[in-house]
């Protein structure tokens, strides 16, 4: 099995390294990942700048890992599929992200966007993220869980273009209680900005690190994660609100009144 | 009516100026938009850098337009709602973008992401984009069409958090044939990269400006736009593939094998 591995934390991030180590048990792994951290990059892509690419090797200097791209996570997937890989991968894995990507964070996430980009090209694509409380966490243990879940997804031979979002709960909270298949929570997070004035008198704002989801729906990814379940969410990328199409079609649209 | 206007082409873009001119016929308009172009920014947000903000005035130097933010489109909406506006706007309009945002481009679009961010906060939010062939097009005419469609949407008193994506077809193709309510096309675009080597021997890639959608589904935004219809697509931001939840829940998930 040929696996394309990408992420949004950058090719040198410990989460990617830990996940690569586990995925090598399942097949051949080629990494095409951003050269630098791209957290909260969303589904941004690079249209106006050149995408510089470098080959990356293990510390032995000879074992080829893949390519670092000076671009966004979605750029990495496009370049991998259209230019860098000799043949299309069987599966695209994005992660393991340092920080969960659940609820509406799914839309801010470069990790998930890379997986969605893969699904655009009809590949099976899986995003993997690890929630954490403190800076240092046990990426290798989380990567083992992630690999187990990925193995089970692939064992079911998902149809082409299938897209999955896996979140691993905070390991330090206690033992993992199992796997729950959950929809994305849709409520907004509570955010704050810190307003300051710079020495030249200009106002600026810092986004606060507090990013709380008050009252998540009980049957969602956010809630199950907080209860120490690994969550799996099947995703799709049609943003149409199909339930509203018929209603809007009944409106009498006029132009040039 | 209080309208928040944002975009991804930047506060000085002609599409925003033309749309502001039209929206002033509907109510009070405050602009909070990126200081510089943010095309294809997707739903990226700024977590690690400060968001500098400047007040912007009309060329007379006294009429206040709003704020320029050195950040992403979604940052602008967050800052507007949480810090800059004295009270929540009745509607958030994002655009008018130079270039359509139809099909899967909806996911790359900073214009649409800004509207989605507004919907996170339960505001009615409307993205507006203008397809064009050449660099120079008639933004004022397109903005008049956009304002007419926006008026009709608002006349139906959409429920809070309602989200709409309006695309105006290439005006130079011929007369607008009407308004069609259409779902998002979901097929991938044909993209190419131009591979080059820099003077230091490093490989780099330029994304090609060609971005073609072969064989769009006949009943979608992409097709209707190409037939000179204005398209309206109701959007939502739950990426869960609800149709697959039951199937995945039937899988026997195991850990620690």
């Amino acid at each position: 099995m040929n696996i394309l591995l990408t992420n949004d934390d950058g090719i040198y991030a410990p989460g990617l390294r830990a996940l690569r180590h586990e995925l090598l048990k399942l097949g051949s792994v080629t990494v095409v990942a951003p050269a630098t951290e791209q957290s909260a990059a969303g589904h941004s892509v690079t249209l106006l700048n050149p995408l510089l690419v470098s080959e990356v090797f293990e510390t032995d200097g000879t074992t080829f890992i893949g390519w670092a791209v000076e671009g966004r996570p979605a750029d990495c997937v496009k370049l991998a599929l259209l230019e860098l890989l000799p043949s299309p991968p069987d599966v695209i894995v994005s992660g393991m992200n340092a920080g969960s990507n659940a609820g509406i964070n799914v839309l801010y996430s470069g990790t998930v966007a890379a997986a969605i980009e893969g699904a655009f090209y009809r590949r099976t694509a899986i995003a993997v993220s690890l929630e954490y409380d403190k800076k240092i966490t046990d990426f290798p243990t989380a990567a083992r869980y992630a690999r187990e879940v990925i193995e089970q997804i692939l064992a079911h031979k998902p149809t082409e273009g299938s897209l999955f979002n896996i979140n691993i709960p905070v390991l330090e909270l206690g033992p993992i209680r199992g796997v729950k298949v959950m929809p994305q929570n849709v409520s907004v997070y509570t955010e704050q900005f810190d307003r300051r004035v710079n020495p030249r008198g200009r106002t600026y704002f810092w986004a606060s690190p507090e990013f709380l989801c008050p009252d998540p729906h009980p049957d969602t990814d956010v809630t199950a994660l907080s209860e120490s379940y690994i969550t799996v969410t099947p995703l799709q990328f049609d943003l149409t609100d199909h339930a509203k199409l018929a209603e809007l079609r009944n409106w009498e649209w006029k132009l040039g009144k």
Side-chain angles (χ1 to χ4, degrees), chain A residues 75-201:
Chain A
D75 293 324
C76 293
V77 173
K78 282 183 199 290
L79 270 185
L81 298 181
L82 298 176
E83 293 284 342
L84 298 173
L85 299 184
S87 61
D90 300 297
V91 59
I92 298 171
V93 179
S94 180
M96 186 173 53
N97 190 61
S100 63
N101 281 304
I104 63 166
N105 284 334
V106 164
L107 287 108
Y108 299 123
S109 165
T111 306
V112 174
I116 292 176
E117 187 68 37
F120 285 170
Y121 285 91
R122 313 301 299 152
R123 301 288 102 200
T124 295
I126 305 172
V128 184
S129 307
L130 168 61
E131 190 160 48
Y132 69 93
D133 246 348
K134 299 161 193 130
K135 268 284 161 211
I136 296 159
T137 186
D138 185 356
F139 286 108
T141 296
R144 278 202 301 279
Y145 285 122
R147 189 253 307 150
E148 288 184 33
V149 175
I150 291 169
E151 269 189 289
Q152 291 172 76
I153 287 173
L154 297 179
H156 284 89
K157 302 198 184 309
T159 53
E160 61 172 21
S162 291
L163 187 55
F164 303 88
N165 187 31
I166 301 173
N167 281 286
I168 313 286
V170 179
L171 298 174
E172 293 75 13
L173 270 184
I176 302 271
R177 294 167 67 189
V179 176
K180 276 198 172 176
V181 175
M182 280 293 176
Q184 175 199 322
N185 188 59
V186 293
S187 62
V188 75
Y189 284 70
T190 304
E191 286 187 81
Q192 287 181 324
F193 287 96
D194 189 355
R195 181 194 288 248
R196 301 187 182 184
V197 177
N198 80 1
R200 290 167 201 274

Side-chain angles (χ1 to χ4, degrees), chain A residues 244-253:
Chain A
K244 283 197 184 154
L245 281 174
E247 180 197 337
L248 265 67
R249 282 176 174 158
N250 278 333
W251 296 358
E252 205 184 318
W253 298 93

Side-chain angles (χ1 to χ4, degrees), chain A residues 103-104 184-190 211-224 226-227:
Chain A
I104 63 166
Q184 175 199 322
N185 188 59
V186 293
S187 62
V188 75
Y189 284 70
T190 304
F211 206 75
L212 299 168
C213 191
D215 273 335
H217 191 284
D219 290 322
T220 58
D221 52 359
V222 171
T223 305
S226 71
E227 294 166 351

